[in-house]
Amino acid sequence: MRQILLILLTLLTITLSAQNKSVTDVLKIGEIKENIRKSCEEICNIRCDYIQEKSVSLLEDTIKNTGEVIFMKPNNLYWKNNSQGDNYFILKNDSVKIVNNNAVDVMTIEEHLIFREISKIINNGVSDNSIIDEKNFTPSFEENDAYIVVNMKPKKNKMKNVLGNMKIYFDKSSCLVHKIEITDNNHDITTIVLLDIYVNKNIDNTLFNF
């Protein structure tokens, strides 16, 4: 019995140590923001793969997709889904082009809040802009051994109708965005993990042409 109790206590200790710790100290938060800014200010572009998983509350299975993300300053984003044929979207400045096989649609970024927020996260995460949009979100900070985690809860009703919360995971060593976790108002969770990140490589500008 004593051995079993020791094992249970050990497992509990490991679990608790793996949990995120809240960061509330103002100076510490300022240091986190500055470290992110310094590490990202020289980045001009990023190319990486991603794994996207969506947990739908009404379904037992998790929906999984893979693809490629390419970002180029100042505000160009290419997002390709490899799991559904010729399916991608291009964001350039304030416009979005969505290609779904043979169907093409162009809209302004204001018409699609999710694209707008993802673009902001990636744009701010690889530039010297503030990653924290405190005008539209209420942020809180956590950390563990590997990541800084920024929780962002929307303030405005329009955004609340779409998003419940966003979590942005920054790698502690590089301060680059590693994972984005989006919970919508139906409690469905979309997780995007960025992999094989390449910074400041040659990218064809015509990729972002409409």
Side-chain angles (χ1 to χ4, degrees):
M1 178 63 72
R2 185 179 178 183
Q3 288 180 330
I4 293 174
L5 287 174
L6 286 173
I7 292 171
L8 289 174
L9 286 172
T10 302
L11 290 174
L12 179 60
T13 301
I14 292 172
T15 301
L16 290 176
S17 64
Q19 290 178 345
N20 296 339
K21 298 178 182 178
S22 178
V23 179
T24 57
D25 182 77
V26 174
L27 293 178
K28 177 66 173 178
I29 291 173
E31 181 183 343
I32 289 171
K33 291 180 180 179
E34 181 64 12
N35 287 341
I36 293 171
R37 186 193 69 80
K38 284 182 178 179
S39 69
C40 299
E41 63 185 357
E42 296 183 358
I43 295 176
C44 295
N45 63 64
I46 280 183
R47 179 194 294 267
C48 65
D49 296 327
Y50 73 86
I51 298 174
Q52 178 179 321
E53 296 187 354
K54 184 168 184 177
S55 300
V56 181
S57 56
L58 298 178
L59 300 176
E60 292 184 2
D61 295 333
T62 299
I63 302 170
K64 296 182 179 181
N65 293 312
T66 62
E68 181 182 27
V69 177
I70 301 173
F71 176 84
M72 179 181 290
K73 286 183 180 178
N75 195 20
N76 300 294
L77 179 65
Y78 173 87
W79 191 287
K80 181 173 176 58
N81 185 336
N82 291 335
S83 305
Q84 299 178 6
D86 191 15
N87 188 335
Y88 63 92
F89 77 80
I90 299 170
L91 187 149
K92 185 171 185 178
N93 298 322
D94 295 324
S95 298
V96 178
K97 177 182 179 181
I98 302 172
V99 177
N100 188 356
N101 293 319
N102 294 325
V104 178
D105 192 16
V106 177
M107 64 180 72
T108 66
I109 195 170
E110 293 299 325
E111 295 178 77
H112 204 299
L113 295 178
I114 295 294
F115 286 163
R116 187 182 73 186
E117 295 310 317
I118 290 175
S119 173
K120 280 184 180 179
I121 290 169
I122 297 178
N123 183 26
N124 292 344
V126 296
S127 70
D128 56 1
N129 298 323
S130 173
I131 189 68
I132 310 303
D133 181 5
E134 297 191 54
K135 179 180 178 181
N136 296 305
F137 292 87
T138 300
S140 61
F141 297 80
E142 300 173 352
E143 67 176 343
N144 56 42
D145 291 340
Y147 303 108
I148 297 292
V149 185
V150 182
N151 294 286
M152 299 173 65
K153 287 190 174 294
K155 292 181 178 180
K156 298 182 179 180
N157 288 333
K158 186 176 181 180
M159 185 63 69
K160 286 180 180 179
N161 291 332
V162 180
L163 294 177
N165 184 61
M166 283 196 297
K167 283 188 176 183
I168 309 170
Y169 291 72
F170 291 90
D171 184 275
K172 270 192 169 181
S173 60
S174 67
C175 289
L176 293 176
V177 176
H178 169 73
K179 181 168 72 172
I180 304 167
E181 186 178 288
I182 302 170
T183 303
D184 64 24
N185 58 351
N186 294 319
H187 304 291
D188 298 336
I189 300 174
T190 299
T191 302
I192 301 167
V193 178
L194 305 182
L195 305 168
D196 299 327
I197 300 174
Y198 295 92
V199 177
N200 293 344
K201 301 296 183 181
N202 291 330
I203 293 177
D204 184 2
N205 292 343
T206 61
L207 181 67
F208 305 101
N209 290 345
F210 278 28

